[in-house]
PDB file of all heavy atoms in Angstrom:
ATOM      1  N   GLN A  23       1.333   4.185  12.220  1.00  0.00           N
ATOM      2  CA  GLN A  23       0.386   3.880  13.315  1.00  0.00           C
ATOM      3  C   GLN A  23      -0.739   4.859  13.271  1.00  0.00           C
ATOM      4  O   GLN A  23      -1.960   4.592  13.330  1.00  0.00           O
ATOM      5  CB  GLN A  23       1.057   3.818  14.607  1.00  0.00           C
ATOM      6  CG  GLN A  23       0.258   3.267  15.753  1.00  0.00           C
ATOM      7  CD  GLN A  23      -0.116   1.857  15.550  1.00  0.00           C
ATOM      8  OE1 GLN A  23       0.480   1.080  14.930  1.00  0.00           O
ATOM      9  NE2 GLN A  23      -1.162   1.396  16.321  1.00  0.00           N
ATOM     10  N   GLN A  24      -0.380   6.196  13.184  1.00  0.00           N
ATOM     11  CA  GLN A  24      -1.319   7.299  13.106  1.00  0.00           C
ATOM     12  C   GLN A  24      -2.128   7.205  11.842  1.00  0.00           C
ATOM     13  O   GLN A  24      -3.372   7.236  11.875  1.00  0.00           O
ATOM     14  CB  GLN A  24      -0.710   8.629  13.179  1.00  0.00           C
ATOM     15  CG  GLN A  24      -1.688   9.849  13.248  1.00  0.00           C
ATOM     16  CD  GLN A  24      -2.630   9.801  14.376  1.00  0.00           C
ATOM     17  OE1 GLN A  24      -2.272   9.456  15.476  1.00  0.00           O
ATOM     18  NE2 GLN A  24      -3.879  10.063  14.127  1.00  0.00           N
ATOM     19  N   GLY A  25      -1.465   6.903  10.696  1.00  0.00           N
ATOM     20  CA  GLY A  25      -2.191   6.835   9.411  1.00  0.00           C
ATOM     21  C   GLY A  25      -3.163   5.675   9.404  1.00  0.00           C
ATOM     22  O   GLY A  25      -4.185   5.756   8.827  1.00  0.00           O
ATOM     23  N   GLN A  26      -2.767   4.559  10.096  1.00  0.00           N
ATOM     24  CA  GLN A  26      -3.670   3.430  10.123  1.00  0.00           C
ATOM     25  C   GLN A  26      -4.947   3.821  10.778  1.00  0.00           C
ATOM     26  O   GLN A  26      -6.059   3.460  10.261  1.00  0.00           O
ATOM     27  CB  GLN A  26      -3.004   2.331  10.941  1.00  0.00           C
ATOM     28  CG  GLN A  26      -3.923   1.141  11.319  1.00  0.00           C
ATOM     29  CD  GLN A  26      -3.333   0.175  12.305  1.00  0.00           C
ATOM     30  OE1 GLN A  26      -2.119   0.125  12.448  1.00  0.00           O
ATOM     31  NE2 GLN A  26      -4.185  -0.553  12.935  1.00  0.00           N
ATOM     32  N   MET A  27      -4.891   4.588  11.845  1.00  0.00           N
ATOM     33  CA  MET A  27      -6.171   4.921  12.500  1.00  0.00           C
ATOM     34  C   MET A  27      -7.044   5.909  11.696  1.00  0.00           C
ATOM     35  O   MET A  27      -8.162   5.729  11.481  1.00  0.00           O
ATOM     36  CB  MET A  27      -5.823   5.595  13.836  1.00  0.00           C
ATOM     37  CG  MET A  27      -5.005   4.764  14.779  1.00  0.00           C
ATOM     38  SD  MET A  27      -5.777   3.213  15.071  1.00  0.00           S
ATOM     39  CE  MET A  27      -4.535   2.341  15.948  1.00  0.00           C
ATOM     40  N   ASP A  28      -6.253   6.846  10.962  1.00  0.00           N
ATOM     41  CA  ASP A  28      -7.042   7.781  10.060  1.00  0.00           C
ATOM     42  C   ASP A  28      -7.593   7.047   8.867  1.00  0.00           C
ATOM     43  O   ASP A  28      -8.731   7.205   8.450  1.00  0.00           O
ATOM     44  CB  ASP A  28      -6.057   8.864   9.613  1.00  0.00           C
ATOM     45  CG  ASP A  28      -5.642   9.747  10.822  1.00  0.00           C
ATOM     46  OD1 ASP A  28      -6.210   9.739  11.833  1.00  0.00           O
ATOM     47  OD2 ASP A  28      -4.557  10.452  10.561  1.00  0.00           O
ATOM     48  N   GLN A  29      -6.806   6.174   8.288  1.00  0.00           N
ATOM     49  CA  GLN A  29      -7.214   5.472   7.031  1.00  0.00           C
ATOM     50  C   GLN A  29      -8.431   4.532   7.345  1.00  0.00           C
ATOM     51  O   GLN A  29      -9.401   4.531   6.678  1.00  0.00           O
ATOM     52  CB  GLN A  29      -6.096   4.625   6.469  1.00  0.00           C
ATOM     53  CG  GLN A  29      -6.368   4.177   5.088  1.00  0.00           C
ATOM     54  CD  GLN A  29      -6.434   5.241   4.055  1.00  0.00           C
ATOM     55  OE1 GLN A  29      -5.723   6.227   4.148  1.00  0.00           O
ATOM     56  NE2 GLN A  29      -7.279   5.013   3.084  1.00  0.00           N
ATOM     57  N   VAL A  30      -8.370   3.770   8.450  1.00  0.00           N
ATOM     58  CA  VAL A  30      -9.411   2.937   8.771  1.00  0.00           C
ATOM     59  C   VAL A  30     -10.694   3.724   9.229  1.00  0.00           C
ATOM     60  O   VAL A  30     -11.792   3.352   8.782  1.00  0.00           O
ATOM     61  CB  VAL A  30      -9.070   1.884   9.868  1.00  0.00           C
ATOM     62  CG1 VAL A  30     -10.146   1.147  10.404  1.00  0.00           C
ATOM     63  CG2 VAL A  30      -7.844   0.982   9.472  1.00  0.00           C
ATOM     64  N   GLY A  31     -10.394   4.804   9.912  1.00  0.00           N
ATOM     65  CA  GLY A  31     -11.547   5.675  10.188  1.00  0.00           C
ATOM     66  C   GLY A  31     -12.212   6.221   9.001  1.00  0.00           C
ATOM     67  O   GLY A  31     -13.464   6.325   8.891  1.00  0.00           O
ATOM     68  N   GLN A  32     -11.468   6.607   8.003  1.00  0.00           N
ATOM     69  CA  GLN A  32     -12.016   7.129   6.760  1.00  0.00           C
ATOM     70  C   GLN A  32     -12.821   6.012   5.983  1.00  0.00           C
ATOM     71  O   GLN A  32     -13.946   6.299   5.475  1.00  0.00           O
ATOM     72  CB  GLN A  32     -10.956   7.697   5.796  1.00  0.00           C
ATOM     73  CG  GLN A  32     -10.313   8.976   6.256  1.00  0.00           C
ATOM     74  CD  GLN A  32      -9.052   9.406   5.436  1.00  0.00           C
ATOM     75  OE1 GLN A  32      -8.749   8.775   4.499  1.00  0.00           O
ATOM     76  NE2 GLN A  32      -8.647  10.577   5.636  1.00  0.00           N
ATOM     77  N   LEU A  33     -12.163   4.832   5.949  1.00  0.00           N
ATOM     78  CA  LEU A  33     -12.918   3.738   5.362  1.00  0.00           C
ATOM     79  C   LEU A  33     -14.347   3.502   6.102  1.00  0.00           C
ATOM     80  O   LEU A  33     -15.339   3.189   5.523  1.00  0.00           O
ATOM     81  CB  LEU A  33     -12.147   2.533   5.415  1.00  0.00           C
ATOM     82  CG  LEU A  33     -10.989   2.355   4.354  1.00  0.00           C
ATOM     83  CD1 LEU A  33     -10.121   1.154   4.641  1.00  0.00           C
ATOM     84  CD2 LEU A  33     -11.598   2.295   2.913  1.00  0.00           C
ATOM     85  N   ALA A  34     -14.218   3.481   7.390  1.00  0.00           N
ATOM     86  CA  ALA A  34     -15.459   3.294   8.206  1.00  0.00           C
ATOM     87  C   ALA A  34     -16.485   4.319   7.902  1.00  0.00           C
ATOM     88  O   ALA A  34     -17.669   3.977   7.845  1.00  0.00           O
ATOM     89  CB  ALA A  34     -15.094   3.430   9.762  1.00  0.00           C
ATOM     90  N   GLN A  35     -16.050   5.591   7.739  1.00  0.00           N
ATOM     91  CA  GLN A  35     -17.035   6.578   7.462  1.00  0.00           C
ATOM     92  C   GLN A  35     -17.609   6.437   5.989  1.00  0.00           C
ATOM     93  O   GLN A  35     -18.826   6.592   5.729  1.00  0.00           O
ATOM     94  CB  GLN A  35     -16.448   7.939   7.504  1.00  0.00           C
ATOM     95  CG  GLN A  35     -16.202   8.390   8.973  1.00  0.00           C
ATOM     96  CD  GLN A  35     -15.511   9.646   9.109  1.00  0.00           C
ATOM     97  OE1 GLN A  35     -15.088  10.403   8.121  1.00  0.00           O
ATOM     98  NE2 GLN A  35     -15.358  10.236  10.341  1.00  0.00           N
ATOM     99  N   MET A  36     -16.745   6.028   5.071  1.00  0.00           N
ATOM    100  CA  MET A  36     -17.196   5.918   3.694  1.00  0.00           C
ATOM    101  C   MET A  36     -18.227   4.738   3.443  1.00  0.00           C
ATOM    102  O   MET A  36     -19.096   4.827   2.665  1.00  0.00           O
ATOM    103  CB  MET A  36     -15.939   5.625   2.795  1.00  0.00           C
ATOM    104  CG  MET A  36     -15.129   6.807   2.614  1.00  0.00           C
ATOM    105  SD  MET A  36     -13.611   6.479   1.699  1.00  0.00           S
ATOM    106  CE  MET A  36     -14.344   6.277   0.024  1.00  0.00           C
ATOM    107  N   VAL A  37     -17.943   3.572   4.117  1.00  0.00           N
ATOM    108  CA  VAL A  37     -18.788   2.404   3.854  1.00  0.00           C
ATOM    109  C   VAL A  37     -19.446   1.905   5.081  1.00  0.00           C
ATOM    110  O   VAL A  37     -20.163   0.863   4.908  1.00  0.00           O
ATOM    111  CB  VAL A  37     -17.959   1.317   3.236  1.00  0.00           C
ATOM    112  CG1 VAL A  37     -17.360   1.796   1.810  1.00  0.00           C
ATOM    113  CG2 VAL A  37     -16.859   0.802   4.103  1.00  0.00           C
ATOM    114  N   GLY A  38     -19.335   2.512   6.264  1.00  0.00           N
ATOM    115  CA  GLY A  38     -20.137   2.104   7.381  1.00  0.00           C
ATOM    116  C   GLY A  38     -19.561   0.852   8.012  1.00  0.00           C
ATOM    117  O   GLY A  38     -20.288  -0.061   8.338  1.00  0.00           O
ATOM    118  N   LEU A  39     -18.249   0.863   8.177  1.00  0.00           N
ATOM    119  CA  LEU A  39     -17.634  -0.374   8.884  1.00  0.00           C
ATOM    120  C   LEU A  39     -18.188  -0.500  10.305  1.00  0.00           C
ATOM    121  O   LEU A  39     -18.179   0.579  11.009  1.00  0.00           O
ATOM    122  CB  LEU A  39     -16.098  -0.248   8.818  1.00  0.00           C
ATOM    123  CG  LEU A  39     -15.448  -0.345   7.508  1.00  0.00           C
ATOM    124  CD1 LEU A  39     -13.903  -0.141   7.700  1.00  0.00           C
ATOM    125  CD2 LEU A  39     -15.563  -1.665   6.761  1.00  0.00           C
TER     126      LEU A  39
END
Side-chain angles (χ1 to χ4, degrees):
Q23 189 68 18
Q24 180 62 38
Q26 171 189 337
M27 301 307 167
D28 295 341
Q29 191 70 35
V30 174
Q32 288 175 354
L33 284 172
Q35 289 177 353
M36 288 176 75
V37 299
L39 295 176

